[in-house]
Amino acid sequence: MARIVLHKELFDYDAELRKEYHVICGVDEAGRGPLAGDVYAAAVILNNDALIDYLNDSKKISEKRRELLYDEVIAKADAYCVATASVQEIDELNILQATMLAMRRAVDGLGVHPDLALIDGNRLPQLECESRFVIHGDAVSASIAAASILAKVSRDRYMRELDEKYPEYCFSQHKGYGTKLHYEKLAEYGISDVHRKTFLKKLYD
């Protein structure tokens, strides 16, 4: 018999909120910390009856499992949107404001006006709907956990695409994070146009 791993408390959290807010969306980001690449955000409105085995904080799930969950989240979402803020916007605005921008773009791109947006973390983007932040929200709300999967998988795929364009940096291995390997490649090849200059001021100057 197949083993079922359902974090029902995440779905219960959303169900309780739906007693007051008919349409809720979860919002999460991926890629705030890396030295390279765009920052991603996703917004997800799950079907009220959706139950998704293994859905949890994307960082607690293997890459293979995340890829499987990505398809299931899309299939069981009433609406979803993945959006980005570019490396240039990160350098111009700072990473926090660029992340807020990506989140706002994700919610605006839903095509459905949510009654409440649940934002992972402790800051709120400026939205056209009511919003509240949920600290460690991807381990609290199913909607936020679903958004975390879409954001993380989308950004990892994007970094693999960058790896094909810039193979010398090994982006598919470290996803742009400041690993020993990444710094070794920066020392060897310098900074590319997909690196965040404000994150690498000492190298850039």
Side-chain angles (χ1 to χ4, degrees):
M1 181 180 293
R3 180 167 175 256
I4 304 298
V5 179
L6 176 66
H7 297 281
K8 190 172 181 294
E9 67 278 7
L10 276 66
F11 295 90
D12 290 343
Y13 179 88
D14 290 5
E16 189 64 27
L17 285 173
R18 289 193 188 98
K19 294 177 182 177
E20 183 177 357
Y21 301 95
H22 182 61
V23 179
I24 64 172
C25 78
V27 184
D28 201 0
E29 56 76 27
R32 279 186 64 171
L35 309 178
D38 299 350
V39 63
Y40 273 62
V44 177
I45 298 173
L46 285 176
N47 185 284
N48 290 3
D49 297 323
L51 291 175
I52 303 174
D53 293 333
Y54 294 97
L55 184 65
N56 201 350
D57 175 359
S58 64
K59 297 182 289 297
K60 298 177 181 178
I61 303 170
S62 69
E63 185 171 358
K64 182 179 179 180
R65 177 74 64 186
R66 286 197 300 266
E67 288 283 349
L68 295 171
L69 284 170
Y70 179 95
D71 293 333
E72 189 171 1
V73 166
I74 288 175
K76 293 184 176 179
D78 286 339
Y80 71 92
C81 179
V82 178
T84 66
S86 69
V87 169
Q88 291 73 27
E89 288 170 324
I90 291 168
D91 284 338
E92 289 171 7
L93 299 172
N94 74 44
I95 185 58
L96 174 61
Q97 294 307 316
T99 301
M100 296 297 105
L101 176 59
M103 287 182 168
R104 186 165 73 246
R105 287 170 174 167
V107 175
D108 289 347
L110 282 170
V112 176
H113 187 77
D115 300 313
L116 175 68
L118 300 175
I119 313 297
D120 183 61
N122 60 1
R123 301 292 183 92
L124 294 176
Q126 293 182 336
L127 301 176
E128 297 298 319
C129 64
E130 185 176 342
S131 61
R132 67 177 64 169
F133 64 75
V134 184
I135 296 173
H136 302 306
D138 42 10
V140 174
S141 160
S143 298
I144 296 178
S148 79
I149 294 293
L150 295 197
K152 175 64 174 169
V153 171
S154 296
R155 189 176 191 279
D156 283 355
R157 291 175 178 178
Y158 156 74
M159 293 308 296
R160 288 194 290 270
E161 291 174 4
L162 286 187
D163 185 71
E164 294 179 4
K165 296 179 181 178
Y166 304 89
E168 64 273 21
Y169 292 101
C170 303
F171 284 133
S172 64
Q173 294 185 48
H174 51 68
K175 305 300 190 297
Y177 284 90
T179 65
K180 181 174 181 289
L181 173 63
H182 194 179
Y183 276 111
E184 287 174 354
K185 297 303 181 182
L186 281 165
E188 186 174 359
Y189 296 104
I191 296 172
S192 75
D193 57 4
V194 296
H195 280 93
R196 303 172 182 178
K197 308 300 187 297
T198 50
F199 281 47
L200 294 163
K201 286 183 177 178
K202 290 182 180 178
L203 292 177
Y204 188 60
D205 294 341

